[in-house]
Amino acid sequence: MSYRIDVDRDVCMSSGKCVADAPDLFRFDDEEIATPVPGAPEPGDARALDLARACPSGALTVHDADTGEEIDIF
């Protein structure tokens, strides 16, 4: 299975945890909200889950890349 991570812009509190932990996957936009890096590779399943679990605001959600179904991270 392949996972993708989405950022809920309304929930993101700009802590920078995802940007610091995965600069290859996330960066800040002009509003200092985390956003996926365009063209970044999909993270491995374990890495996607770890990043989402570590988000202090819960703004990162993990989805099955094929079906779009949200994955329960806990």
Side-chain angles (χ1 to χ4, degrees):
M1 183 179 306
S2 179
Y3 291 161
R4 77 166 196 278
I5 303 175
D6 293 320
V7 179
D8 185 332
R9 296 181 52 80
D10 294 328
V11 176
C12 179
M13 62 184 213
S14 304
S15 75
K17 180 86 171 118
C18 62
V19 174
D21 290 349
D24 57 322
L25 300 177
F26 298 99
R27 65 180 180 192
F28 285 121
D29 65 12
D30 293 339
E31 297 174 9
E32 295 298 315
I33 300 294
T35 186
V37 171
E42 297 293 337
D45 295 353
R47 187 175 187 205
L49 295 172
D50 288 345
L51 288 166
R53 289 177 183 136
C55 178
S57 66
L60 301 181
T61 56
V62 178
H63 297 266
D64 181 303
D66 295 325
T67 68
E69 180 181 342
E70 186 171 342
I71 305 299
D72 183 9
I73 63 171
F74 294 104

